[in-house]
Amino acid sequence: MEKIKLSETLQKVREVNPLVHNITNVVVTNFTANGLLALGASPVMANAVEEAADMAQIASSLVLNIGTLNSQTVEAMILAGKAANEHDIPVIFDPVGAGATRYRTETAQKIMKEVNVSVIRGNGAEIANVVGEDWEIKGVDAGDAKGNLLDLAITAAQKLNCVVVVTGKEDVVSDGETTYTIANGHPILTKVTGTGCLLTSVIGAFAGVEKDLLTSSVAALSYYGIAAEQAARKTAELGPGSFQIEFLNQLSLVSTEEIKLYASFKKINGG
Ligand code: ATP
Ligand code: TZP
Ligand code: MG
Ligand code: MG
């Protein structure tokens, strides 16, 4: 994969202004909408069972997030997911907190079974629990359990038959055959709630304009990580509050040139 392709994909998002339909959690809704706008996408949140399918079919991509799940939103997610599948619209899934409670784990597995998910994105523990491995998770945070994220992404992609993005200090993207690691990012991202959820929606925006989901995901991850690096540099003496605001600024300011300069990713041999 060439850096130029990643920067062209960012350019395309900004030109196309894809409509991203999010059925997401109550913690991150506003941050997600603002982050997508800063990127140059067009967010819409539509949770009602009565309209979820109609909204999904006019979107460029659908993002499902079980962060504050309940039986109604889960029903809406499945209706929207099926409508997206019928219209060949990519579905991106964030299994927030899978492994923390039986309801979350079983719901994540049910969504994977009933909806043809294009990309699943989570921390290591969430992805492991979706594929039936019992990694420890602390609520919605990955916690200290450290398995091998590279192996996890590859085996999960093979089992789930979709692109898997596992995030952490280093991010991994795999379709089960081809695998990339992305080093961009900053630890302060873990001190702002919703940075994983917004990332999943950003992956949705990129998937809405680029059909090759490995390319779109690597482009989204490097763009997002570079925005965080710039924001952390500008707010170095300050705390997570200032970082959060500057991060939104940088999501709109990161240029295609900066993607070419700073994207840091590797293709894994044999992966
Ligand atoms: P968790 O709740 O465990 O934090 P999450 O769903 O919020 O999970 P993260 O894994 O934190 O998602 O990923 C969100 C973003 O933060 C990604 O871009 C990832 O690369 C980045 N990130 C997470 N941890 C680090 C770290 N230690 N160093 C650099 N970047 C990180
Ligand atoms: N509780 C339920 S959803 C949520 C919290 C704190 C937000 C999680 O956001 P992220 O992006 O996984 O850190
Ligand atoms: Mg986080
Ligand atoms: Mg998360």
Side-chain angles (χ1 to χ4, degrees):
M1 199 176 300
E2 307 281 337
K3 284 191 185 185
I4 178 90
K5 182 67 187 163
L6 305 183
S7 89
E8 284 170 359
T9 310
L10 171 60
Q11 180 68 27
K12 209 162 156 196
V13 174
R14 288 177 171 159
E15 278 165 16
V16 172
N17 187 225
L19 179 65
V20 183
H21 175 195
N22 302 269
I23 302 183
T24 190
N25 69 72
V26 299
V27 180
V28 306
T29 302
N30 176 276
F31 183 56
T32 301
N34 276 321
L36 285 171
L37 285 170
L39 160 62
S42 190
V44 63
M45 280 56 183
N47 296 357
V49 168
E50 290 82 356
E51 70 165 349
D54 290 345
M55 189 63 82
Q57 34 188 290
I58 58 166
S60 298
S61 60
L62 170 69
V63 178
L64 306 177
N65 176 310
I66 62 165
T68 51
L69 76 181
N70 63 54
S71 53
Q72 287 222 330
T73 46
V74 171
E75 188 186 341
M77 285 183 204
I78 290 175
L79 288 170
K82 289 191 165 158
N85 288 165
E86 276 167 27
H87 291 80
D88 215 13
I89 290 158
V91 180
I92 323 303
F93 179 42
D94 190 328
V96 182
T101 64
R102 203 170 80 186
Y103 182 44
R104 279 173 195 266
T105 311
E106 288 179 357
T107 300
Q109 290 171 346
K110 179 177 150 116
I111 288 171
M112 289 308 296
K113 200 162 132 220
E114 296 200 20
V115 176
N116 190 357
V117 167
S118 314
V119 183
I120 183 170
R121 197 295 311 168
N123 62 43
E126 289 163 343
I127 298 297
N129 278 281
V130 172
V131 295
E133 287 182 36
D134 184 23
W135 287 24
E136 194 189 333
I137 183 160
K138 187 176 180 188
V140 299
D141 291 328
D144 294 331
K146 291 273 174 285
N148 185 320
L149 300 189
L150 192 61
D151 291 347
L152 172 67
I154 297 168
T155 54
Q158 289 164 352
K159 281 190 193 163
L160 299 171
N161 200 19
C162 69
V163 169
V164 172
V165 178
V166 181
T167 54
K169 184 174 183 316
E170 192 170 68
D171 303 326
V172 189
V173 180
S174 181
D175 65 2
E177 281 184 16
T178 306
T179 303
Y180 291 90
T181 58
I182 296 88
N184 298 110
H186 193 280
I188 199 170
L189 282 166
T190 64
K191 301 295 175 206
V192 176
T193 193
T195 53
C197 300
L198 170 58
L199 170 62
T200 305
S201 291
V202 165
I203 290 171
F206 279 70
V209 304
E210 168 57 58
K211 277 195 176 308
D212 182 321
L213 296 173
L214 279 180
T215 301
S216 64
S217 300
V218 175
L221 286 160
S222 49
Y223 153 76
Y224 198 81
I226 290 167
E229 288 163 10
Q230 311 275 42
R233 191 168 45 77
K234 286 192 175 266
T235 57
E237 307 300 317
L238 305 167
S242 301
F243 169 79
Q244 183 184 21
I245 296 300
E246 188 55 33
F247 182 48
L248 285 176
N249 293 336
Q250 292 302 323
L251 286 172
S252 78
L253 292 173
V254 165
S255 67
T256 50
E257 279 309 305
E258 286 170 313
I259 300 293
K260 284 186 251 172
L261 281 174
Y262 303 128
S264 172
F265 63 97
K266 269 198 303 226
K267 187 172 180 188
I268 303 301
N269 288 330

